[in-house]
Amino acid sequence: MAGQLSDLTDGLYQGIKELPIVSPHGHCDPEWFARDVPFSNPAELLVVPDHYVFRMLYSQGVPLHELGVGPKGHTADPRQVLRLFARHWDLFLGTPSRIWISYVLRETLGITQDLSPETANDIYDQIADCLTQDAFRPRALFDQFNIEVLATTDSALDTLSHHAEIRESGWNGRVVPTFRPDGVLDGADPSFAANLKQLGALTGCDTGNYQGYLEALRLRRQFFIQMGATATDHGIELVHTEWLDDPDKLFQRLRQQQGTPEDAQQFYGHMLIEMAQMSVEDGLTMQIHAGSKRNTNTAVMQDFGRDKGADIPIAMDWVRGLEALLNRVGNEPDLRIILFTLDEGTYARELAPMAGHWPCLRIGPPWWFHDSPAGIARYFDQVVETAGYFNLAGFNDDTRAFLSIPARHDLWRRGVALHLARQVEKGYFGRDSAEHLSRLLTTDLARRVYGLEA
Amino acid sequence: MAGQLSDLTDGLYQGIKELPIVSPHGHCDPEWFARDVPFSNPAELLVVPDHYVFRMLYSQGVPLHELGVGPKGHTADPRQVLRLFARHWDLFLGTPSRIWISYVLRETLGITQDLSPETANDIYDQIADCLTQDAFRPRALFDQFNIEVLATTDSALDTLSHHAEIRESGWNGRVVPTFRPDGVLDGADPSFAANLKQLGALTGCDTGNYQGYLEALRLRRQFFIQMGATATDHGIELVHTEWLDDPDKLFQRLRQQQGTPEDAQQFYGHMLIEMAQMSVEDGLTMQIHAGSKRNTNTAVMQDFGRDKGADIPIAMDWVRGLEALLNRVGNEPDLRIILFTLDEGTYARELAPMAGHWPCLRIGPPWWFHDSPAGIARYFDQVVETAGYFNLAGFNDDTRAFLSIPARHDLWRRGVALHLARQVEKGYFGRDSAEHLSRLLTTDLARRVYGLEA
Amino acid sequence: MAGQLSDLTDGLYQGIKELPIVSPHGHCDPEWFARDVPFSNPAELLVVPDHYVFRMLYSQGVPLHELGVGPKGHTADPRQVLRLFARHWDLFLGTPSRIWISYVLRETLGITQDLSPETANDIYDQIADCLTQDAFRPRALFDQFNIEVLATTDSALDTLSHHAEIRESGWNGRVVPTFRPDGVLDGADPSFAANLKQLGALTGCDTGNYQGYLEALRLRRQFFIQMGATATDHGIELVHTEWLDDPDKLFQRLRQQQGTPEDAQQFYGHMLIEMAQMSVEDGLTMQIHAGSKRNTNTAVMQDFGRDKGADIPIAMDWVRGLEALLNRVGNEPDLRIILFTLDEGTYARELAPMAGHWPCLRIGPPWWFHDSPAGIARYFDQVVETAGYFNLAGFNDDTRAFLSIPARHDLWRRGVALHLARQVEKGYFGRDSAEHLSRLLTTDLARRVYGLEA
């Protein structure tokens, strides 16, 4: 690339590189910040919790149990796990995982050697040494990472006790919960009946009837809001919404475990609209993550559990799927619904035109497999011309791997700078606009769309 | 981008920049040219008729009625409308609308200031002043824009009286109608029965039976041809074609408003084949614009009417959808059918292989949301390797916004130059071929595929 | 493009340019190498067997019979065919066919003139002269092309007599068969019953019952393995797999021509799993080419036969389609299944996540329409970030046009060099890794995934 573009890219990047991290959606464990306990070992830090990493190793024949992944029965010597990982480090060439982990090793852990079978032992010791230091405990890292706010994702039935501990501790880090009600909305979940009972117990509502159930959900949302939540989240396979005239009928059937999968889908489709209506009332931003077929490898599911790298995206139909919801609440001026897709074919075809019309809609950043340099480039290429920049939701890292948060935000910021520099080069707008948009995409949009302004 | 590529791009662009505008498909109002009445005000010129513009404003919370959009009941002070638009001008950063409107302001209206809340008032006055001048009346602009031919889109029931006025006026601008029969083919249209009556009245045919109905359609096509038409157009949601053994049965049911939506779809699927067969007879080029789910926002539809920015693309299946039609007429050497898609996933997967085989098929230019710099780049990237250049249909602007026509053709020409310069740079062909192809894509293909050669 | 990137691209390309050709999948006729008979004439060499070429000519109105394509009844003077082709050479601007054929003319046939109507006659004579020389007979070209191994594709019922001749001839070229059992798995094939009889006769098994049928398939696989095969191949329209409890019931129905199309699809879906299970036993790599709707032009099919350019891709669902197969054998560590898609929308959405999880899966190179410069660029752009490089299957040329083999491998190698140079430029890895990956993608992966190591 010629010098001029690269200077501009770099200039834009320097302007946003040091901005605070706004992390409005992710899967960190609030206990880390409540207890501030050191991370246990290098394998637990880099390999074991990262499904991006162990799925790739598994795809090339590394048995999951050798990685210490999965149910308690499987344990593995963490030093051996890191060596195994190092031996297969080439598998990650070209992947964002390699970029993230290299960043973590270099920038956060101060490792100057390249990872390889030869250096694995040494690097293990260096990381292990870091983990004994106070500077590498969760709260210290939170500060060092310059995190302005971090949202966790929490079951609707969660007591949020760790969040309470954080608030009571006097520590000034801002960690907020997110209301994730899938377990109490999904009638196909085997625990649905038990979850409803627990929901009743937590709220004092009679969750044996639909009105009590709605009231209980309202109360849980209020509780989450009191604990700092500004958003909800739904993880669903297919997008389906429909308004039922008599939801109680399906509710009763599902509550008594007598519903079909179709009943469960219809009911969830109705409840998405109820949730959107509650968002109109209470102001919680609604997130919909759709299009992942979960746990497609039944043997891995049985032996190692959920989230083991076998969740595979499928084709989406956002237009028909959201039709009922949008026609009920989509014109509400203050409602915010953020859509996340794994089917990039819907960026230009569906999401950009929808977000470029409906006042409530925003397009979430590239998600999961697409949170990557080329994924970010395709995202901008395909959404901006129709949706503009102001119908986007900024960035979120969506990670369980706490240490990777700065790496992920850095990769996004580089992608933003590169995209905007190219737009300037093509003459679409000037450098001033690019600078303004770069800040918007880095922090301001996320703050605004999630209601996280200070 | 390095100097060499950019010189070549510019050289190619300069060679086509001043070629006449061939506009074989669009939605200008023929009355403008028949009466040559001045445009009324800046808001009516730039904002009110442009669904690209007001949908974006609406997506960010601007109420449509404040923009003067919609039914007669809603009026708005045009100066306030332009100011409102200027206040939200940043929303259009990165969109082709911003490129088009900037071009119109600068090149056509001679405005030297940048649009902003501060300059809106001033710019309003300057545009309003322009509109009082003869040089800004429709016919003068038509000449200034160097338009060789402009096709409008007209209901099959249109008397084409404005087109007649244009022809009788002695003005030498070439404005031709396009035969759009959706209203008399779509049995799901609530006006279908009334439309059939009107069709009968216009032609003297008995449209109460299928043979008379076919004859009436044939006569209307002949009338359009006499008035200069060289093409037909269909706007449909899903592509479906099938040949019915007894179309009269469905025709009668639909005529009496007793048909189901499936009946209507089957019947339209049959009539597309009848229309293609008539094209074999009378030589009209057939256009199929498919894949937009219309009016998805029912509240906006009720309050503001059709074409208000809530038409959203859906996934397409051109292969199975056109199977029946192509197997009936697809090998006819002189038939021309142009396909327009909003599902870019079908460019490389379906349209390019189909157009690279069937003698009748041509691929229309990037349509609607994809008529944009990145959309044009994706189009060339995905269709040319399989379909070549000669199975494309050149460019058309498809616009209701008369003033944006030069801007849209200019954006296409820049995209053509950029694409071809890159092909030369990669060594696929030499500069001579690139120059030849640049003219082909700018004017010659459109003339040829639409039968608009002088 | 700036000098640095282009130097790096060239450096990487030079490092792989001369590597031997590993061609693990294609459609060359083994008879060519068994008999080593000269190719008959220039038209038979370049035009007649190449559906990429004649489909494009047909799409622009050239009648197939003038090209000598199709059933014996149609013959054409080969000199006229080459002149007709030369007259339409511009149609191929921007297509890989033009790149391949230009390469063949220049590099293999030593033609220095550009193809044009004026030079066609001359070039015809030069090629015809080449074909009389020993250096242009199949075996000599095989050596000149530096082909390490070439796999053909052969019916399960093929006696492989040409392969036997090759082995017995003492010639040292390595030509191996591939087991393609579609004809004995597809109950919708009109010859299914006859094929089963022949299968029984070849193996001595009773193919009138399911167990005998399975045994016969096992024996044929063994025979192919003895003859050098390392892989199987399936060409299917839709991907569907399911495990039947009682396959014999469907087998009997289909055998007696009493099955429905659904029966045939179910049965084939079951047999794909049986084939995968046999691959676990006998080690044959399994290839699945899916997603082409074959022979969509019935008139061309009737008059000219199969493979005449009317095979059009359709949308795919790999996730649900392979669910049953993968959950039965997908975790087998030594199984290899290579997936080929014509729906590029599935690269990033489905294939890369699937290959990045399942130990058995590899992603085949860009296939058919997408074996092209932009197709290769999109492939790397969309698969590598999720699947890495080690879950790919290298390259294969998949061609019937023997002379185009070096051209196709060269185009791939250029694409590999360009992709890797850009990765280095972006900082994802260093030049050393790029060099390693370039060799991997050119030869090593193909050897490894197909079990073709020397």
Side-chain angles (χ1 to χ4, degrees):
Chain A
M1 217 162 299
Q4 211 179 330
L5 174 56
S6 147
D7 287 352
L8 181 53
T9 304
D10 194 57
L12 290 169
Y13 171 65
Q14 293 301 334
I16 53 179
K17 186 175 187 285
E18 308 290 347
L19 289 180
I21 285 177
V22 177
S23 178
H25 175 68
H27 297 272
C28 285
D29 187 340
E31 187 177 359
W32 298 334
F33 309 103
R35 304 281 162 87
D36 201 27
V37 177
F39 293 102
S40 58
N41 64 59
E44 284 292 336
L45 198 70
L46 296 178
V47 179
V48 180
D50 190 337
H51 57 72
Y52 289 79
V53 168
F54 58 71
R55 69 160 181 83
M56 180 67 98
L57 297 171
Y58 185 67
S59 81
Q60 287 282 320
V62 178
L64 289 178
H65 63 82
E66 292 189 18
L67 295 164
V69 167
K72 302 299 175 222
H74 298 116
T75 55
D77 173 19
R79 187 178 293 268
Q80 293 306 326
V81 169
L82 195 75
R83 290 171 72 166
L84 193 54
F85 173 56
R87 205 153 70 229
H88 291 89
W89 186 220
D90 271 6
L91 299 183
F92 297 90
L93 285 168
T95 69
S97 292
R98 187 159 168 134
I99 302 176
W100 295 329
I101 293 170
S102 298
Y103 182 102
V104 168
L105 290 172
R106 195 180 60 243
E107 303 290 328
T108 307
L109 299 166
I111 312 289
T112 55
Q113 293 161 291
D114 286 339
L115 185 64
S116 74
E118 291 71 38
T119 60
N121 219 26
D122 229 42
I123 289 178
Y124 185 90
D125 290 333
Q126 292 177 59
I127 301 175
D129 181 60
C130 285
L131 297 185
T132 65
Q133 301 171 29
D134 282 352
F136 291 89
R137 288 167 67 179
R139 290 185 181 180
L141 288 172
F142 191 100
D143 291 341
Q144 187 207 316
F145 292 166
N146 194 17
I147 297 176
E148 178 178 303
V149 57
L150 178 84
T152 62
T153 301
D154 312 85
S155 157
L157 301 174
D158 197 297
T159 58
L160 302 184
S161 61
H162 296 305
H163 286 87
E165 283 182 64
I166 294 169
R167 294 163 75 112
E168 287 154 15
S169 73
W171 177 56
N172 69 351
R174 186 174 177 199
V175 177
V176 300
T178 300
F179 182 73
R180 171 101 164 211
D182 294 342
V184 292
L185 302 184
D186 180 5
D189 187 324
S191 322
F192 186 59
N195 291 345
L196 291 186
K197 269 195 195 130
Q198 202 185 335
L199 180 65
L202 277 165
T203 55
C205 297
D206 176 3
T207 54
N209 71 72
Y210 184 71
Q211 287 311 321
Y213 166 69
L214 282 191
E215 186 52 27
L217 288 167
R218 249 182 225 108
L219 289 172
R220 290 308 291 164
R221 293 171 66 104
Q222 282 308 317
F223 172 65
F224 271 68
I225 291 170
Q226 283 162 29
M227 297 300 290
T230 67
T232 70
D233 185 30
H234 297 270
I236 51 181
E237 185 174 315
L238 292 171
V239 174
H240 170 77
T241 61
E242 70 176 299
W243 184 253
L244 300 174
D245 288 329
D246 182 10
D248 194 36
K249 203 169 67 185
L250 280 185
F251 177 69
Q252 293 305 336
R253 217 143 65 202
L254 292 165
R255 200 173 66 84
Q256 292 154 35
Q257 318 253 18
Q258 290 162 0
T260 64
E262 290 70 35
D263 291 341
Q265 189 181 44
Q266 279 195 290
F267 185 70
Y268 200 126
H270 173 81
M271 288 309 298
L272 276 172
I273 304 179
E274 291 278 18
M275 288 294 108
Q277 291 183 163
M278 289 189 197
S279 276
V280 172
E281 292 167 17
D282 64 22
L284 287 177
T285 291
M286 186 174 187
Q287 296 176 91
I288 301 179
H289 287 83
S292 177
K293 194 162 167 59
R294 303 281 176 175
N295 310 308
T296 63
N297 189 331
T298 50
V300 163
M301 174 68 178
Q302 278 160 21
D303 292 350
F304 299 91
R306 300 169 47 87
D307 300 320
K308 291 297 170 290
D311 299 348
I312 309 290
I314 48 178
M316 293 296 294
D317 181 347
W318 289 98
V319 185
R320 297 182 186 93
L322 286 183
E323 193 171 18
L325 184 151
L326 289 171
N327 273 304
R328 209 162 162 100
V329 297
N331 293 298
E332 291 289 340
D334 296 324
L335 178 63
R336 291 292 166 269
I337 303 178
I338 309 175
L339 306 179
F340 296 82
T341 199
L342 294 170
D343 180 0
E344 293 178 307
T346 63
Y347 279 159
R349 188 180 67 214
E350 303 178 12
L351 295 185
M354 290 169 82
H357 166 71
W358 291 97
C360 63
L361 294 183
R362 296 295 183 272
I363 308 174
W367 175 34
W368 202 328
F369 303 107
H370 309 314
D371 180 9
S372 62
I376 291 168
R378 288 196 296 269
Y379 172 79
F380 283 125
D381 181 71
Q382 291 172 35
V383 305
V384 165
E385 291 187 329
T386 293
Y389 292 99
F390 292 79
N391 284 310
L392 310 184
F395 183 65
N396 64 65
D397 51 73
D398 195 13
T399 192
R400 291 157 213 277
F402 179 53
L403 254 70
S404 77
I405 288 179
R408 288 168 191 251
H409 284 260
D410 186 69
L411 195 149
W412 169 256
R413 291 170 192 200
R414 288 174 190 273
V416 163
L418 184 60
H419 163 72
L420 293 172
R422 287 193 174 148
Q423 299 283 82
V424 171
E425 185 216 10
K426 288 176 191 155
Y428 299 158
F429 41 75
R431 183 165 178 149
D432 279 6
S433 291
E435 285 173 358
H436 172 60
L437 292 171
S438 70
R439 287 188 298 272
L440 196 78
L441 289 164
T442 302
T443 50
D444 297 349
L445 275 175
R447 285 185 191 122
R448 196 183 300 171
V449 177
Y450 283 90
L452 286 167
E453 294 95 340
Chain B
M1 215 162 303
Q4 210 179 330
L5 175 57
S6 146
D7 286 351
L8 180 54
T9 304
D10 195 56
L12 290 170
Y13 170 65
Q14 293 300 332
I16 53 178
K17 184 175 190 283
E18 308 290 346
L19 288 180
I21 286 176
V22 176
S23 177
H25 175 69
H27 298 271
C28 285
D29 188 339
E31 185 175 1
W32 297 336
F33 309 105
R35 304 281 162 86
D36 201 28
V37 177
F39 294 101
S40 58
N41 65 58
E44 285 291 336
L45 198 68
L46 296 178
V47 179
V48 180
D50 190 338
H51 56 73
Y52 289 77
V53 167
F54 57 71
R55 70 161 180 82
M56 180 67 97
L57 297 170
Y58 185 67
S59 81
Q60 286 281 322
V62 178
L64 288 177
H65 64 82
E66 290 190 20
L67 294 163
V69 166
K72 304 298 175 223
H74 298 116
T75 55
D77 172 20
R79 186 177 294 270
Q80 294 305 325
V81 170
L82 196 77
R83 290 172 70 167
L84 193 54
F85 173 55
R87 205 153 72 227
H88 291 90
W89 186 221
D90 271 5
L91 299 184
F92 297 90
L93 285 168
T95 69
S97 291
R98 186 158 168 136
I99 302 175
W100 295 330
I101 293 169
S102 298
Y103 182 104
V104 168
L105 291 172
R106 194 179 62 242
E107 304 289 329
T108 307
L109 298 166
I111 310 290
T112 55
Q113 293 162 292
D114 286 339
L115 186 64
S116 72
E118 292 72 36
T119 60
N121 218 27
D122 230 40
I123 289 177
Y124 186 92
D125 290 333
Q126 292 176 60
I127 302 175
D129 180 60
C130 284
L131 297 185
T132 64
Q133 301 170 29
D134 282 352
F136 291 88
R137 289 167 68 177
R139 290 184 180 181
L141 288 172
F142 190 101
D143 291 341
Q144 187 207 316
F145 292 168
N146 193 18
I147 297 176
E148 178 178 302
V149 58
L150 178 84
T152 61
T153 301
D154 312 86
S155 157
L157 303 174
D158 197 296
T159 60
L160 302 184
S161 62
H162 295 306
H163 285 87
E165 281 181 65
I166 294 169
R167 293 163 74 111
E168 288 154 13
S169 72
W171 176 56
N172 68 352
R174 185 175 177 199
V175 177
V176 301
T178 301
F179 183 71
R180 171 102 165 210
D182 293 342
V184 291
L185 302 183
D186 180 6
D189 186 324
S191 323
F192 185 61
N195 290 345
L196 291 186
K197 270 195 196 130
Q198 204 186 333
L199 179 65
L202 277 165
T203 56
C205 299
D206 176 3
T207 55
N209 70 74
Y210 184 70
Q211 287 311 321
Y213 166 69
L214 282 191
E215 186 53 26
L217 288 167
R218 249 182 224 109
L219 289 172
R220 289 309 291 164
R221 293 171 66 105
Q222 282 307 319
F223 172 65
F224 271 68
I225 290 170
Q226 283 161 30
M227 297 300 291
T230 67
T232 70
D233 185 30
H234 297 270
I236 51 181
E237 185 174 315
L238 291 171
V239 173
H240 169 78
T241 61
E242 70 176 299
W243 184 255
L244 300 174
D245 287 329
D246 182 10
D248 194 37
K249 203 170 68 186
L250 279 185
F251 177 70
Q252 294 304 338
R253 216 141 68 201
L254 292 165
R255 201 173 65 84
Q256 292 156 34
Q257 318 253 16
Q258 290 161 2
T260 64
E262 289 70 34
D263 291 341
Q265 190 181 44
Q266 279 196 289
F267 184 71
Y268 201 125
H270 174 81
M271 289 309 297
L272 276 172
I273 304 180
E274 291 277 17
M275 289 293 107
Q277 291 184 162
M278 289 187 195
S279 276
V280 172
E281 292 166 17
D282 64 22
L284 288 177
T285 292
M286 186 173 186
Q287 297 175 91
I288 301 179
H289 287 83
S292 176
K293 194 164 167 56
R294 303 281 177 173
N295 311 304
T296 62
N297 190 330
T298 50
V300 163
M301 174 67 178
Q302 278 160 22
D303 292 352
F304 298 91
R306 299 170 47 87
D307 300 320
K308 291 298 169 289
D311 299 348
I312 309 290
I314 49 178
M316 294 296 292
D317 181 348
W318 289 98
V319 185
R320 297 184 187 92
L322 286 183
E323 192 172 17
L325 184 151
L326 289 171
N327 272 305
R328 210 163 161 96
V329 298
N331 293 299
E332 290 288 339
D334 297 325
L335 178 62
R336 290 294 166 269
I337 303 178
I338 309 175
L339 307 179
F340 295 82
T341 198
L342 294 169
D343 180 0
E344 294 177 307
T346 64
Y347 279 158
R349 188 180 66 215
E350 303 177 12
L351 295 185
M354 291 169 82
H357 166 71
W358 292 97
C360 63
L361 294 183
R362 296 295 182 273
I363 308 174
W367 175 34
W368 201 329
F369 303 108
H370 310 312
D371 180 8
S372 62
I376 291 168
R378 287 194 297 268
Y379 172 79
F380 283 124
D381 181 71
Q382 290 171 35
V383 305
V384 165
E385 291 187 328
T386 293
Y389 293 100
F390 292 79
N391 285 310
L392 310 184
F395 182 65
N396 65 64
D397 52 72
D398 194 14
T399 191
R400 292 156 212 276
F402 180 52
L403 255 71
S404 76
I405 287 179
R408 288 168 191 250
H409 285 260
D410 185 70
L411 196 149
W412 168 256
R413 292 170 190 198
R414 288 174 190 274
V416 163
L418 184 59
H419 162 73
L420 292 172
R422 286 191 175 151
Q423 300 282 82
V424 172
E425 185 216 9
K426 287 175 192 154
Y428 300 159
F429 42 74
R431 182 164 179 151
D432 278 6
S433 291
E435 284 175 358
H436 173 60
L437 292 171
S438 71
R439 286 187 300 271
L440 196 78
L441 290 164
T442 303
T443 50
D444 297 350
L445 275 176
R447 284 185 192 124
R448 196 182 299 171
V449 177
Y450 284 90
L452 287 167
E453 294 95 341
Chain C
M1 217 162 297
Q4 211 180 330
L5 173 57
S6 147
D7 287 351
L8 181 54
T9 304
D10 194 56
L12 290 170
Y13 170 65
Q14 293 300 333
I16 52 178
K17 185 175 188 286
E18 307 290 346
L19 289 180
I21 286 177
V22 177
S23 178
H25 175 69
H27 297 271
C28 284
D29 187 339
E31 186 177 359
W32 298 335
F33 309 104
R35 305 280 164 88
D36 202 27
V37 177
F39 293 102
S40 59
N41 64 59
E44 284 292 334
L45 198 70
L46 295 178
V47 179
V48 179
D50 190 337
H51 57 71
Y52 290 77
V53 168
F54 57 70
R55 69 160 182 82
M56 179 68 96
L57 297 170
Y58 185 67
S59 81
Q60 286 281 321
V62 177
L64 288 178
H65 63 81
E66 293 190 18
L67 295 164
V69 167
K72 303 299 174 220
H74 298 115
T75 55
D77 172 19
R79 188 177 292 270
Q80 294 306 325
V81 170
L82 196 77
R83 290 171 71 165
L84 194 53
F85 173 56
R87 206 153 71 227
H88 291 89
W89 185 222
D90 272 7
L91 298 184
F92 296 90
L93 285 168
T95 69
S97 292
R98 187 159 168 134
I99 301 175
W100 296 329
I101 292 170
S102 298
Y103 181 102
V104 168
L105 291 171
R106 195 179 61 242
E107 303 290 328
T108 306
L109 299 166
I111 311 290
T112 55
Q113 294 162 291
D114 286 339
L115 186 65
S116 73
E118 292 72 36
T119 60
N121 219 27
D122 230 40
I123 289 177
Y124 185 91
D125 291 332
Q126 293 176 59
I127 302 175
D129 180 60
C130 286
L131 297 186
T132 64
Q133 302 170 29
D134 282 352
F136 291 88
R137 288 166 69 177
R139 290 186 181 179
L141 288 172
F142 191 100
D143 291 340
Q144 188 206 315
F145 292 168
N146 194 17
I147 297 177
E148 177 177 303
V149 58
L150 178 83
T152 62
T153 302
D154 312 85
S155 157
L157 302 174
D158 197 296
T159 60
L160 303 184
S161 61
H162 295 307
H163 285 87
E165 282 181 65
I166 295 169
R167 294 163 75 112
E168 288 152 16
S169 72
W171 176 55
N172 70 350
R174 186 175 178 200
V175 177
V176 301
T178 301
F179 183 72
R180 171 100 165 212
D182 294 343
V184 290
L185 303 183
D186 180 6
D189 187 323
S191 322
F192 185 59
N195 290 345
L196 291 186
K197 268 191 198 136
Q198 203 184 334
L199 180 64
L202 277 166
T203 56
C205 298
D206 176 4
T207 55
N209 70 73
Y210 185 69
Q211 287 311 322
Y213 166 68
L214 282 190
E215 187 52 26
L217 289 167
R218 248 181 225 112
L219 289 173
R220 289 309 289 165
R221 293 171 67 105
Q222 282 309 319
F223 173 65
F224 271 68
I225 290 170
Q226 283 161 29
M227 296 300 291
T230 67
T232 69
D233 185 30
H234 297 269
I236 51 181
E237 185 174 315
L238 291 171
V239 174
H240 170 77
T241 61
E242 70 177 301
W243 184 254
L244 300 174
D245 288 330
D246 182 9
D248 194 36
K249 203 169 69 187
L250 280 186
F251 178 69
Q252 293 305 337
R253 219 144 62 204
L254 292 165
R255 201 171 66 85
Q256 293 154 35
Q257 317 255 17
Q258 290 162 359
T260 63
E262 290 69 35
D263 291 340
Q265 189 181 44
Q266 279 195 289
F267 185 71
Y268 201 125
H270 174 80
M271 288 310 298
L272 276 172
I273 303 179
E274 291 277 17
M275 289 294 107
Q277 292 184 163
M278 289 189 198
S279 276
V280 172
E281 292 166 18
D282 64 22
L284 288 177
T285 292
M286 187 174 185
Q287 298 176 89
I288 301 178
H289 287 85
S292 176
K293 195 163 166 57
R294 303 281 175 174
N295 310 306
T296 62
N297 190 330
T298 51
V300 162
M301 174 67 177
Q302 279 159 22
D303 292 351
F304 298 91
R306 300 170 46 87
D307 300 320
K308 290 297 170 293
D311 299 348
I312 309 290
I314 49 177
M316 294 296 293
D317 181 347
W318 289 99
V319 185
R320 297 182 187 94
L322 286 183
E323 192 171 19
L325 185 151
L326 290 171
N327 273 305
R328 208 161 164 101
V329 297
N331 294 299
E332 290 290 338
D334 297 324
L335 178 62
R336 291 293 166 270
I337 303 178
I338 310 175
L339 306 179
F340 296 83
T341 199
L342 294 169
D343 180 1
E344 293 177 307
T346 64
Y347 279 159
R349 189 181 65 215
E350 303 176 13
L351 295 185
M354 290 169 83
H357 166 71
W358 291 96
C360 62
L361 294 183
R362 297 295 182 274
I363 308 174
W367 175 35
W368 201 331
F369 303 108
H370 309 313
D371 179 9
S372 62
I376 291 168
R378 289 195 296 269
Y379 172 79
F380 283 125
D381 181 71
Q382 290 172 35
V383 305
V384 165
E385 291 187 328
T386 293
Y389 292 99
F390 292 79
N391 286 308
L392 310 185
F395 182 65
N396 65 64
D397 50 73
D398 195 13
T399 191
R400 292 158 212 275
F402 179 53
L403 255 70
S404 77
I405 287 179
R408 289 168 191 250
H409 284 260
D410 186 70
L411 196 149
W412 168 256
R413 292 170 190 199
R414 288 174 188 276
V416 163
L418 184 60
H419 163 72
L420 292 172
R422 287 193 174 146
Q423 299 283 82
V424 172
E425 185 215 10
K426 288 175 192 155
Y428 300 158
F429 41 76
R431 183 166 177 150
D432 278 4
S433 291
E435 284 175 0
H436 173 61
L437 292 171
S438 71
R439 286 188 300 270
L440 196 78
L441 290 164
T442 302
T443 51
D444 298 349
L445 275 175
R447 285 186 193 123
R448 196 182 301 170
V449 177
Y450 283 89
L452 286 167
E453 295 95 341

